[in-house]
Amino acid sequence: MSDTGRSEHLQSAFGARSSQEAAEVYDSWAEDYERRVLSWGYATPAVASWFFGRYVQPSDGAAVLDAGAGTGMMGDVLSPLGYHDLTAIDISERMLDFARNKGLYKDLRQMELGSQLDLPTDAFSAVVSTGVFTAGHAPPESFDELIRATRSGGYMIFSVRTDVYEEGGFKDKQEALEREGRWQLVEVSEPFSPLRYEDPELKAQVFAYQVH
């Protein structure tokens, strides 16, 4: 695939107008996705894993939900650090096939963030979600179900692209959930370039919240 073709995949993903369209884009891109995104200097898993290690101890036997896991790049980072009770959900079944082949996840299921999740309440010690809360992807309403699935005292660590943080309603939703006492912000990163070789103007931040 040419560089132009790969960039078109990225723009198609950011411009998806429906969950079905997003799933189709990622299904078609799955085979080349991980190699290409990493070649663009994809930094978000590294930043998120630093936050994760700070707040979630692998010695606790933490059950972790990788929400919007894609091909399992967070699993590649978390498993060697000692996190082995990993569950993956993603809208793209084809992406999950690649994650499944890595043998890092105990369970992998196709689900759509922003809708009701077929997950038990208080099932996870922590949730991690990278590259998901961005243009054309999962909405801020996704947080309600992710909080439901997280145990009290557990952590949610996720990235949000800075241009959609306010424009996409994430700032309002995150602050509303804090006012409602459903979670508390414990740390947030400075803005950084998640795809510094593909689009250095794009910025994201990683947030860490403790669920109440």
Side-chain angles (χ1 to χ4, degrees), residues 3-212:
D3 287 340
T4 299
R6 295 181 184 113
S7 294
E8 286 175 354
H9 264 114
L10 186 65
Q11 294 305 317
S12 294
F14 289 156
R17 291 166 292 185
S18 68
S19 57
Q20 180 62 35
E21 186 174 326
E24 290 171 358
V25 169
Y26 281 108
D27 280 346
S28 68
W29 196 12
E31 187 170 353
D32 190 56
Y33 172 82
E34 187 165 321
R35 180 181 66 83
R36 181 45 44 188
V37 169
L38 290 176
S39 78
W40 289 335
Y42 185 44
T44 309
V47 179
S49 66
W50 185 89
F51 276 73
F52 208 84
R54 187 179 177 97
Y55 295 105
V56 184
Q57 301 304 312
S59 58
D60 297 339
V64 178
L65 175 65
D66 188 354
T71 57
M73 284 190 281
M74 278 306 304
D76 286 331
V77 177
L78 294 178
S79 182
L81 296 176
Y83 303 94
H84 300 305
D85 189 356
L86 303 175
T87 295
I89 61 172
D90 198 87
I91 197 172
S92 167
E93 187 63 49
R94 182 72 175 131
M95 298 283 266
L96 287 173
D97 285 343
F98 281 86
R100 185 174 291 108
N101 289 337
K102 294 179 176 181
L104 304 176
Y105 293 91
K106 287 190 172 181
D107 191 18
L108 303 95
R109 300 166 67 186
Q110 185 179 24
M111 293 187 199
E112 179 185 350
L113 290 170
S115 61
Q116 185 171 350
L117 300 177
D118 184 18
L119 296 170
T121 298
D122 300 333
F124 299 97
S125 305
V127 172
V128 64
S129 189
T130 55
V132 175
F133 301 117
T134 184
H137 287 56
E141 291 75 23
S142 306
F143 295 138
D144 292 299
E145 278 290 279
L146 293 175
I147 288 173
R148 179 188 63 77
T150 306
R151 298 168 192 159
S152 178
Y155 289 89
M156 284 181 52
I157 295 165
F158 54 88
S159 65
V160 180
R161 216 171 78 177
T162 55
D163 58 336
V164 302
Y165 176 60
E166 293 195 26
E167 297 169 11
F170 287 92
K171 181 177 186 291
D172 289 344
K173 181 63 173 177
Q174 288 168 229
E175 291 177 352
L177 290 168
E178 191 157 20
R179 287 194 303 272
E180 293 164 9
R182 299 183 64 192
W183 67 11
Q184 180 178 355
L185 180 67
V186 293
E187 193 167 357
V188 60
S189 75
E190 293 296 320
F192 63 93
S193 297
L195 295 167
R196 57 188 180 277
Y197 301 132
E198 173 65 12
D199 189 346
E201 298 305 313
L202 275 180
K203 301 291 182 184
Q205 289 179 280
V206 169
F207 294 82
Y209 283 88
Q210 187 170 32
V211 172
H212 291 168

